Amino acid sequence: AINPERLWDELMETAQIGGNEKGGICRLTLTDLDRQVRDWFRARCEGLGMTVTVDDMGVQYARRAGQRNDIPPIALGSHLDTQPTGGKFDGCLGVLGALEAVRTLVEAGYETYAPIEIINWTNEEGSRFAPAMVASGVFAGAFTREHAAGIKDVEGITMGDALETIGYRGAEPCGQHPLTAFFELHIEQGPLLEAEDKQVGVVTGVQGMRWYEVRVTGQSAHTGATPMHLRKNALTGAARLMDRIEHIAHAHAPLAVGSVGFVEVKPNSRNVVPGEVFFTVDFRHPEASVLDQMEQLLVASLGEICDPLKLSTRMEKIWDNPPVRFDAECIEAVRYGIQQSGFTSRDIVSGAGHDAAYVSRVAPTTMIFVPCREGISHNEAEYSSKEQCAAGAQVLMQAILEYDRR
Amino acid sequence: AINPERLWDELMETAQIGGNEKGGICRLTLTDLDRQVRDWFRARCEGLGMTVTVDDMGVQYARRAGQRNDIPPIALGSHLDTQPTGGKFDGCLGVLGALEAVRTLVEAGYETYAPIEIINWTNEEGSRFAPAMVASGVFAGAFTREHAAGIKDVEGITMGDALETIGYRGAEPCGQHPLTAFFELHIEQGPLLEAEDKQVGVVTGVQGMRWYEVRVTGQSAHTGATPMHLRKNALTGAARLMDRIEHIAHAHAPLAVGSVGFVEVKPNSRNVVPGEVFFTVDFRHPEASVLDQMEQLLVASLGEICDPLKLSTRMEKIWDNPPVRFDAECIEAVRYGIQQSGFTSRDIVSGAGHDAAYVSRVAPTTMIFVPCREGISHNEAEYSSKEQCAAGAQVLMQAILEYDRR
Ligand SMILES: NC(=O)NCCC(=O)O
Ligand SMILES: NC(=O)NCCC(=O)O
């Protein structure tokens, strides 16, 4: 059995890297803080006798040999980057839970049939470089390496340059790394498990998600001297679009969600009528056909709202991530692990995107969820208890052992 | 008569300091660019034999002696700071037009009765440090020197520190500098003069203006895993408030204006439901009683819109600048100048705030407007022609000479 204390201590230890007074972590991908936690992770894995390599997207692979080293590894892991207002568990639990699982095997002297790899994926969050899950996307062939390396943050720094800067641009081209299977442990980030008092979620798939970028252009003008009827106020249009997006999501609730997360107003000065507003839209639903409907409503609202305001708009769909169904055999291995440990569970479709969603395109994959308090995530208040974290890591270990035995 | 070419050349020369490829200027107050244009201004004035002093708000006073130097000076001027997307004329025309007027007197060997001073006011724009017209406000007793020195920009730098940094915190305490009168030349920044094809505006006063800061607080959460009905989306509340502000202004149009110019979303990440939004409101109207009504509607909308969304709000009125009526004798001097030069004109109430509005509390004051293309200002496209600029400077010179004679 895995050691709950040790896992908890490492969660709290790494939470110091980028930790803040609100109890959360701000450790954006490919910053120096990300480098620190990567270095920490490599040292721990090497301490367990594992070999750690890095690909050219900065993905870390920590390998423990098996009885047969000519077959691809069974992999487990998640990500160590966070949101600007991230919590201590999103991503970290998946990597540190994997570390604890492998350490338990090492200490027990248990030799698996296949090699085992712990993976730390780069830029899962998509907050600094959009979209999310970029490295696992490259791994699975959803994006080219060139495209990914060229993505810019708001300061204009590319992902490729950021990788160089922190010394994590490896030689191995991302996407040439076969896996026998991939298991990702994660907090639910939603309220369902807690509401039904279940200890573990058997994740059967991930809902579809689409990201859009909208630019509304008017004309900046003096707030005091420009009469209302002569304005081309880009913020008025943007605010009405935001309200409309809320309505589109509600109209397709309870399964649909729709959000504007990022907004940039130009010139952003108190006495200037905004001449331009840029904002992002995030639509999700388990069915692609519903996402199509939501998208149509969004497209129609642009002209409907902005034409009368004499504003022009430009919208781009920058990400279309279809719904995913996980692998039946991997799911069976998770069910077996839950049964062995005697935990309560339920099936669940993930509301959040995860690296596992991309990896599932190229290897049998599934996920394990544990509850988090009030379903709060992407917030410093994010919390799962020591016991909840331990339950996840325990099921993770048993699932990969079961998969390995088969 | 003033020299239109010389004035135009100096407008274009100083426009290089902070000038951008869009033809505008970004020369925020108390930055190093502001220091450069201040140094340039001092050198030009000293070249005309004037004595330049600085007070502890960084206000520059360039003095030319008169026949009687025991009486306070007749002052003219404006400001050299700009908006982030400022044009080449807002403020600069008032200072450089004054410089051209005085240079014309110097070259003609004309000795005034009172001393003449050109003033360059600090932080007129209010974009870096809110509110606007801070130094003239201190000059007129509307703010204390301590309060003004403590105002912070978004980076947390105080006005006092910024003054030190660029070497413009003078010894003379701001507000101990009596004036016989003050005349400010400015572009209209609105569409009226152009629409009626008038060359000069006789400014009879300035409308009232109030600035508010609103903070909407909800809870940041995961955009994918948080169902719509469980959200506390601060941006949804803020967007609806922005729409309401637009409606409040329209309901009191054509004289009322209302704008949200500055918005900050937290954490501003594409896949995080915004937990907090901060934004500013600018309401203006020539009558204080109408501003009271608009304010009441704004206050009522906070709870009406945000309570059902489970959001809390905090609003602060950070600036209340009552309507201003300018001095009858100063206005007469301007009318005389217009008549002498044969320009067409109309009376006008300023929509924008100006240093003259504060100065009018402590000295007889008025302003002279010239048209700007399409009324566009606080925008790089801001434009007044060489002839329009020259007309303003000519009337300015004749107005102060007339006032001086009386
Ligand atoms: N798990 C997680 O928060 N992923 C980020 C990608 C997304 O779902 O927005
Ligand atoms: N003239 C001018 O643009 N002043 C700035 C203050 C304001 O009116 O907002």
Side-chain angles (χ1 to χ4, degrees):
Chain A
I2 67 106
N3 181 334
E5 297 299 333
R6 221 162 40 180
L7 170 57
W8 187 257
D9 288 349
E10 287 188 344
L11 281 165
M12 296 307 121
E13 182 182 347
T14 51
Q16 300 300 312
I17 305 173
N20 56 37
E21 66 298 338
K22 288 187 180 166
I25 309 179
C26 176
R27 193 166 64 213
L28 296 184
T29 191
L30 304 182
T31 56
D32 192 66
L33 292 168
D34 187 19
R35 179 195 59 74
Q36 289 175 41
V37 78
R38 286 162 174 270
D39 290 354
W40 180 96
F41 171 68
R42 186 183 53 211
R44 282 295 155 118
C45 292
E46 288 175 350
L48 291 175
M50 303 174 89
T51 311
V52 185
T53 58
V54 181
D55 70 19
D56 65 355
M57 287 290 119
V59 181
Q60 292 180 289
Y61 306 88
R63 182 182 180 100
R64 179 175 186 241
Q67 294 165 25
R68 284 277 304 273
N69 292 304
D70 54 336
I71 55 172
I74 297 174
L76 61 171
S78 189
H79 60 96
L80 292 172
D81 68 319
T82 78
Q83 288 287 328
T85 55
K88 290 195 275 280
F89 304 90
D90 174 0
C92 308
L93 176 61
V95 177
L96 302 183
L99 181 62
E100 176 54 27
V102 172
R103 185 162 40 212
T104 304
L105 300 185
V106 170
E107 291 182 351
Y110 185 104
E111 198 180 17
T112 51
Y113 181 73
I116 301 289
E117 273 187 13
I118 308 177
I119 305 185
N120 171 28
W121 299 102
T122 299
N123 187 27
E124 195 276 343
E125 294 292 358
S127 183
R128 179 173 176 198
F129 299 103
M133 297 130 50
V134 170
S136 53
V138 171
F139 186 90
F143 314 114
T144 65
R145 292 155 54 227
E146 295 67 34
H147 170 79
I151 299 173
K152 288 182 180 152
D153 68 9
V154 285
E155 324 247 81
I157 301 170
T158 65
M159 238 183 85
D161 287 344
L163 281 162
E164 298 279 1
T165 304
I166 67 159
Y168 268 92
R169 190 162 190 164
E172 178 186 328
C174 183
Q176 306 184 3
H177 197 106
L179 302 179
T180 290
F182 180 62
F183 291 83
E184 181 170 0
L185 166 63
H186 209 281
I187 58 168
E188 179 195 344
Q189 308 185 280
L192 302 181
L193 293 175
E194 189 183 64
E196 298 184 12
D197 207 12
K198 302 293 190 199
Q199 290 165 294
V200 180
V202 177
V203 189
T204 57
V206 181
Q207 67 180 341
M209 47 202 282
R210 299 186 187 178
W211 281 10
Y212 308 86
E213 294 183 347
V214 182
R215 193 177 299 277
V216 181
T217 306
Q219 185 172 55
S220 66
H222 197 291
T223 55
T226 317
M228 297 306 286
H229 70 279
L230 290 181
R231 295 180 176 207
K232 297 176 187 163
N233 186 336
L235 186 58
T236 302
R240 289 181 187 167
L241 286 171
M242 291 172 198
D243 185 44
R244 180 65 64 91
I245 286 159
E246 182 83 7
H247 281 108
I248 293 172
H250 274 288
H252 297 83
L255 290 185
V257 285
S259 325
V260 173
F262 179 90
V263 184
E264 194 177 39
V265 174
K266 285 185 184 169
N268 221 25
S269 181
R270 292 168 194 248
N271 41 4
V272 185
V273 177
E276 187 177 306
V277 179
F278 172 89
F279 64 91
T280 63
V281 183
D282 175 325
F283 274 162
R284 308 198 192 192
H285 193 279
E287 287 167 49
S289 62
V290 179
L291 288 170
D292 288 341
Q293 290 167 29
M294 294 169 71
E295 182 173 310
Q296 276 164 27
L297 289 170
L298 176 58
V299 169
S301 70
L302 296 175
E304 185 194 322
I305 288 173
C306 292
D307 288 350
L309 294 168
K310 286 167 273 167
L311 302 170
S312 66
T313 56
R314 250 187 61 193
M315 187 172 96
E316 211 181 321
K317 173 155 59 173
I318 66 149
W319 200 26
D320 187 339
N321 211 0
V324 166
R325 298 191 60 166
F326 284 138
D327 178 73
E329 245 182 293
C330 289
I331 293 174
E332 274 320 301
V334 170
R335 289 198 203 285
Y336 176 85
I338 291 170
Q339 197 188 313
Q340 290 298 302
S341 337
F343 293 126
T344 56
S345 70
R346 65 160 274 178
D347 286 8
I348 191 167
V349 171
S350 176
H354 294 284
D355 293 306
Y358 276 133
V359 177
S360 75
R361 298 190 184 184
V362 290
T365 296
T366 196
M367 295 187 72
I368 299 157
F369 274 0
V370 293
C372 59
R373 195 164 60 198
E374 290 173 45
I376 293 170
S377 183
H378 287 191
N379 182 313
E380 288 104 344
E382 179 185 279
Y383 183 76
S384 296
S385 70
K386 190 193 298 180
E387 295 67 33
Q388 289 171 326
C389 292
Q394 182 67 30
V395 171
L396 177 67
M397 183 180 76
Q398 291 186 300
I400 59 159
L401 291 184
E402 173 63 11
Y403 198 89
D404 182 61
R405 274 190 293 269
R406 294 189 186 180
Chain B
I2 67 108
N3 181 334
E5 296 299 332
R6 220 161 40 179
L7 169 58
W8 187 256
D9 289 347
E10 287 188 342
L11 281 165
M12 295 308 121
E13 181 183 347
T14 50
Q16 300 300 311
I17 306 174
N20 56 37
E21 65 297 340
K22 289 187 181 167
I25 309 180
C26 176
R27 193 165 63 213
L28 296 184
T29 191
L30 304 181
T31 55
D32 192 67
L33 292 167
D34 187 19
R35 178 194 61 73
Q36 289 175 43
V37 78
R38 288 162 173 269
D39 290 354
W40 180 96
F41 171 67
R42 186 185 52 212
R44 284 294 155 119
C45 292
E46 287 175 351
L48 292 176
M50 303 175 89
T51 311
V52 185
T53 58
V54 181
D55 72 18
D56 64 355
M57 287 289 120
V59 181
Q60 293 181 287
Y61 306 89
R63 183 181 177 101
R64 179 176 186 240
Q67 293 164 29
R68 285 277 304 272
N69 291 305
D70 54 337
I71 56 173
I74 296 174
L76 61 172
S78 190
H79 61 95
L80 292 172
D81 68 319
T82 79
Q83 288 286 328
T85 56
K88 290 195 274 282
F89 304 90
D90 174 0
C92 308
L93 175 62
V95 177
L96 301 183
L99 181 62
E100 176 54 28
V102 172
R103 186 163 38 212
T104 303
L105 301 185
V106 169
E107 290 182 352
Y110 185 102
E111 199 179 16
T112 52
Y113 181 74
I116 300 290
E117 273 187 13
I118 308 178
I119 305 185
N120 171 28
W121 299 101
T122 298
N123 187 26
E124 194 275 344
E125 293 292 358
S127 182
R128 179 172 175 197
F129 299 102
M133 297 128 54
V134 170
S136 54
V138 171
F139 186 91
F143 315 113
T144 65
R145 292 156 54 228
E146 294 68 32
H147 171 79
I151 298 174
K152 288 182 180 154
D153 67 9
V154 284
E155 324 248 80
I157 301 169
T158 64
M159 238 183 85
D161 287 344
L163 282 162
E164 298 279 1
T165 304
I166 67 159
Y168 268 91
R169 191 164 191 162
E172 177 186 329
C174 183
Q176 305 183 4
H177 197 105
L179 302 179
T180 290
F182 179 63
F183 292 82
E184 181 170 358
L185 165 63
H186 209 282
I187 58 168
E188 178 194 346
Q189 309 184 281
L192 302 182
L193 293 176
E194 189 183 65
E196 297 185 13
D197 207 12
K198 302 292 189 201
Q199 291 165 294
V200 180
V202 177
V203 190
T204 57
V206 181
Q207 67 180 341
M209 47 203 281
R210 299 187 187 178
W211 282 9
Y212 308 85
E213 293 183 347
V214 182
R215 194 176 297 277
V216 181
T217 306
Q219 184 172 55
S220 65
H222 197 290
T223 55
T226 316
M228 296 307 285
H229 70 279
L230 290 181
R231 296 181 175 206
K232 297 177 187 161
N233 186 336
L235 185 57
T236 302
R240 290 181 187 168
L241 287 170
M242 291 173 197
D243 184 43
R244 181 65 64 89
I245 285 160
E246 182 83 7
H247 281 108
I248 293 172
H250 274 288
H252 297 83
L255 290 185
V257 284
S259 324
V260 173
F262 179 90
V263 184
E264 194 177 39
V265 174
K266 285 186 185 167
N268 220 26
S269 180
R270 292 169 193 248
N271 43 5
V272 185
V273 177
E276 187 176 308
V277 178
F278 172 89
F279 64 91
T280 63
V281 184
D282 174 326
F283 274 161
R284 309 198 191 192
H285 194 279
E287 287 168 47
S289 62
V290 179
L291 288 170
D292 288 342
Q293 289 167 29
M294 293 168 72
E295 183 172 309
Q296 276 163 27
L297 290 169
L298 175 58
V299 169
S301 71
L302 296 175
E304 185 194 323
I305 288 173
C306 292
D307 288 351
L309 296 168
K310 287 165 273 170
L311 303 169
S312 66
T313 56
R314 251 186 60 193
M315 187 172 95
E316 212 181 321
K317 173 155 59 172
I318 67 149
W319 199 26
D320 188 339
N321 211 2
V324 166
R325 297 192 60 167
F326 285 138
D327 178 74
E329 244 183 293
C330 290
I331 293 174
E332 276 319 302
V334 170
R335 291 199 202 285
Y336 175 85
I338 291 170
Q339 197 190 312
Q340 289 299 302
S341 338
F343 292 126
T344 56
S345 72
R346 65 160 275 178
D347 286 8
I348 191 166
V349 172
S350 175
H354 294 284
D355 294 305
Y358 275 133
V359 178
S360 74
R361 299 190 185 185
V362 290
T365 296
T366 197
M367 295 187 72
I368 299 158
F369 274 0
V370 293
C372 58
R373 194 163 61 197
E374 291 174 44
I376 294 170
S377 182
H378 286 192
N379 183 313
E380 287 103 344
E382 179 185 279
Y383 183 76
S384 296
S385 70
K386 191 191 299 181
E387 295 68 33
Q388 288 170 327
C389 292
Q394 181 66 30
V395 171
L396 177 67
M397 184 181 75
Q398 291 186 301
I400 60 160
L401 291 185
E402 172 64 10
Y403 198 90
D404 182 62
R405 276 191 290 271
R406 295 191 187 183

